[in-house]
Amino acid sequence: MIVHDKIAAILPEWRERVKRLVKEHGDVVVDQVTVRQIYGGMRGVKSLVTDISFVDPDQGIRFRGYTIPEVLERLPKPDGAEMPYVGGLYYLLLVGEMPTKDDALAVENEWKARSVVPQHVFDVLRVLAPLAHPMQLFSQAVLSLQSSSLFTRKYHEGMTKDEYWGPMLEDSLNLTAKLPTLAAFVYNLKYRSGAVPHPDPDLDWAANFAHMIGVDDPEYYDLARLYFILHSDHESGNASAHVTHLVASTLSDIYYAFSAGMNALAGPLHGLANQETLRWLLGVYEKFQGVPTREQLREYAWDTLNAGKVIPGYGHAVLRVPDPRFWAQFEFGKRHMPDDDLFRLVSLVYEVVPEVLKEQGKARYPIPNVDAISGTLQYHYGVREFDFYTVLFGVGRALGVTANAVWARALGQPIERPKSVTTAMLEELVAGK
Ligand code: HAX
């Protein structure tokens, strides 16, 4: 398997780099922590390390050093497609170098060979489906694959620490291979006939997801590729990535760890903003029975703010410029649905809302984030079940967090154990005692 061999070839040098850094400079101070940060969700504390992606406040995400436009331009694409193979992106995240078409296809073919989902997973989901949210089903589906973990089996049979990453990679490939089928089954169970989906061997990973939810439109195949690539990784401090890392740091396998990460993604402060944006846009559209005028939209935006609510899709904790993930989707919309009313509304919102937020003066960076548009594009192609959107996010996010988990094992990252203090201790500290 080419990804395995490539990682094996570069691993000794990486291990040496990290060992040297810690041995020779282990006591160098990287950051300090304030009381506000301790009570403020550890916002901005530099205490994690990943080489897979980095969020530059002025440029947005870079995957292995490449910006979003570079990734979309340089990753190999299926013949006639506008967007790249997701298998190529996974190769880039795992190996750290831009894949050739053969490399991308090697991952896509590995996924095909590993994509069969055991029957018991479908059975479990069928029992739970009537009451469960799609994210619960998605997380349960992942967890019910845990019994197949190679890492857990090998660990109990006995392997050295140096060998941990190999079975972790195997598990990650096995898991990611099945995600389009799992997500499509959740979709079909909740909103369609409930039939078990069957991948088309002639389609790539992302297009197969589209095929299995019944949207057999080459444009939507491209949107699926774009969506999964854009949502794959956003450094390590966001909740779904961090939870996955934390759980895996106990030497739990990737099924336990990724399922936990998905439970974090299911929270309204994390993965749900895309559906909230779409709800807000549809609210505007309904009120004005179409795309409003600039002035009407300004008033609507102010009404939202005056009601004490946020305007979803705008603002970011780190980014100071419009999210390049927003631009990539915006450009896609301009090419494929310039006359779609909701897309025209998204464009108008982009012209009006940042001004309104600036006038209000609260949001530090009143710029569009990834969620300002993602739901609108799904809606255009008929994927209108809002509750499902976080599952789409989860399928993409798997690529980044599993790549991180493989490298955390490869570099022997230990179990996470930050230290806590009490409020009384902090009071004493600030009083100078
Ligand atoms: N509408 C109204 N008010 C906003 C705002 C918006 N879009 N964005 C920020 N503000 C307000 C904040 O609520 C905050 O108000 P208070 O001081 O009263 O609490 C103030 O401006 C300062 O906030 P900030 O420092 O600019 O932003 P934060 O780092 O605290 O929060 C958020 C960043 C993305 C959560 C925030 O901008 C927000 O709530 N945006 C709307 C929801 C949204 O789009 N979420 C998706 C984020 C993308 C993502 O990461 N998805 O996974």
Side-chain angles (χ1 to χ4, degrees):
M1 164 50 184
I2 186 160
V3 171
H4 178 279
D5 296 348
K6 286 270 180 180
I7 295 178
I10 55 178
L11 191 50
E13 196 187 325
W14 271 99
R15 283 183 171 153
E16 195 46 43
R17 264 175 87 180
V18 173
K19 203 169 128 194
R20 202 178 323 121
L21 200 56
V22 176
K23 190 168 168 220
E24 293 174 15
H25 306 285
D27 294 326
V28 171
V29 175
V30 177
D31 208 353
Q32 290 179 327
V33 185
T34 63
V35 171
R36 185 176 293 109
Q37 285 173 312
I38 290 178
Y39 279 103
M42 297 185 277
R43 202 71 63 85
V45 180
K46 293 193 187 83
S47 55
L48 298 166
V49 61
T50 174
D51 296 288
I52 290 181
S53 72
F54 178 73
V55 180
D56 183 322
D58 294 314
Q59 290 187 324
I61 187 74
R62 280 176 180 269
F63 297 131
R64 291 288 194 175
Y66 294 100
T67 62
I68 293 283
E70 285 166 350
V71 161
L72 296 181
E73 197 193 312
R74 295 186 55 176
L75 283 178
K77 301 179 174 75
D79 291 340
E82 193 184 305
M83 291 296 158
Y85 285 113
V86 179
L89 185 269
Y90 201 39
Y91 182 100
L92 174 66
L93 299 182
L94 279 164
V95 174
E97 67 183 47
M98 198 48 83
T100 62
K101 190 161 184 173
D102 282 350
D103 296 331
L105 283 172
V107 176
E108 291 279 345
N109 288 334
E110 281 293 330
W111 275 338
K112 273 177 197 165
R114 298 162 187 257
S115 64
V116 177
V117 174
Q119 181 60 37
H120 76 267
V121 179
F122 300 125
D123 296 342
V124 167
L125 296 202
R126 276 194 208 287
V127 172
L128 297 171
L131 291 179
H133 184 278
M135 276 304 278
Q136 192 217 126
L137 296 177
F138 187 56
S139 177
Q140 295 273 11
V142 172
L143 197 54
S144 49
L145 287 167
Q146 189 278 329
S147 43
S148 66
S149 171
L150 190 67
F151 177 85
T152 295
R153 183 155 65 76
K154 292 263 183 202
Y155 183 81
H156 290 297
E157 283 170 9
M159 62 178 158
T160 67
K161 211 175 163 190
D162 280 358
E163 294 169 332
Y164 285 174
W165 70 274
M168 196 67 170
L169 174 64
E170 283 294 309
D171 278 354
S172 295
L173 285 164
N174 286 333
L175 169 62
T176 49
K178 295 173 180 57
L179 292 180
T181 306
L182 296 183
F185 184 60
V186 168
Y187 187 83
N188 294 346
L189 255 185
K190 289 300 285 186
Y191 315 115
R192 297 288 184 267
S193 69
V196 170
H198 293 289
D200 176 342
D202 293 332
L203 290 175
D204 55 286
W205 189 83
N208 245 320
F209 164 75
H211 166 70
M212 288 188 282
I213 62 164
V215 190
D216 265 310
D217 175 346
E219 270 182 35
Y220 188 73
Y221 292 174
D222 270 324
L223 180 61
R225 295 178 188 115
L226 175 67
Y227 190 100
F228 296 140
I229 288 173
L230 294 181
H231 287 78
S232 61
D233 209 31
H234 219 228
E235 297 187 340
S236 288
N238 69 81
S240 53
H242 191 200
V243 167
T244 306
H245 174 75
L246 171 63
V247 174
S249 84
T250 69
L251 295 188
S252 256
D253 57 57
I254 199 64
Y255 301 98
Y256 280 128
F258 179 63
S259 170
M262 289 302 93
N263 301 341
L265 191 70
L269 294 187
H270 192 11
L272 242 59
N274 53 11
Q275 80 182 48
E276 291 312 309
T277 307
L278 188 55
R279 205 187 302 281
W280 190 82
L281 293 170
L282 290 173
V284 176
Y285 194 79
E286 199 172 300
K287 170 151 186 191
F288 299 106
Q289 294 293 302
V291 181
T293 64
R294 266 182 103 83
E295 211 31 58
Q296 286 171 324
L297 183 59
R298 265 182 69 79
E299 273 172 37
Y300 192 97
W302 270 113
D303 287 348
T304 302
L305 296 178
N306 290 335
K309 298 183 196 153
V310 296
I311 299 178
Y314 281 77
H316 202 272
V318 180
L319 278 176
R320 294 193 278 247
V321 292
D323 193 330
R325 300 175 300 171
F326 168 80
W327 281 131
Q329 296 178 91
F330 191 78
E331 291 299 325
F332 186 93
K334 265 200 333 207
R335 283 195 298 277
H336 294 292
M337 59 194 80
D339 300 326
D340 178 297
D341 270 3
L342 269 189
F343 179 71
R344 292 199 301 123
L345 179 56
V346 164
S347 312
L348 189 64
V349 169
Y350 173 62
E351 288 170 28
V352 170
V353 162
E355 280 172 28
V356 171
L357 286 172
K358 265 187 216 152
E359 284 168 33
Q360 191 208 26
K362 279 171 72 177
R364 273 178 309 155
Y365 311 122
I367 44 98
N369 59 51
V370 64
D371 297 315
I373 186 170
S374 57
T376 301
L377 302 188
Q378 296 296 325
Y379 201 81
H380 176 83
Y381 292 102
V383 182
R384 298 189 166 179
E385 298 82 1
F386 296 4
D387 276 2
F388 186 72
Y389 290 174
T390 316
V391 175
L392 288 176
F393 190 157
V395 172
R397 185 46 52 96
L399 305 162
V401 300
T402 56
N404 270 289
V406 170
W407 274 94
R409 284 281 199 281
L411 296 175
Q413 288 194 4
I415 186 168
E416 262 195 16
R417 182 55 168 98
K419 180 81 185 86
S420 49
V421 290
T422 65
T423 300
M425 285 174 192
L426 290 174
E427 285 167 345
E428 280 174 28
L429 183 101
V430 300
K433 288 184 197 160

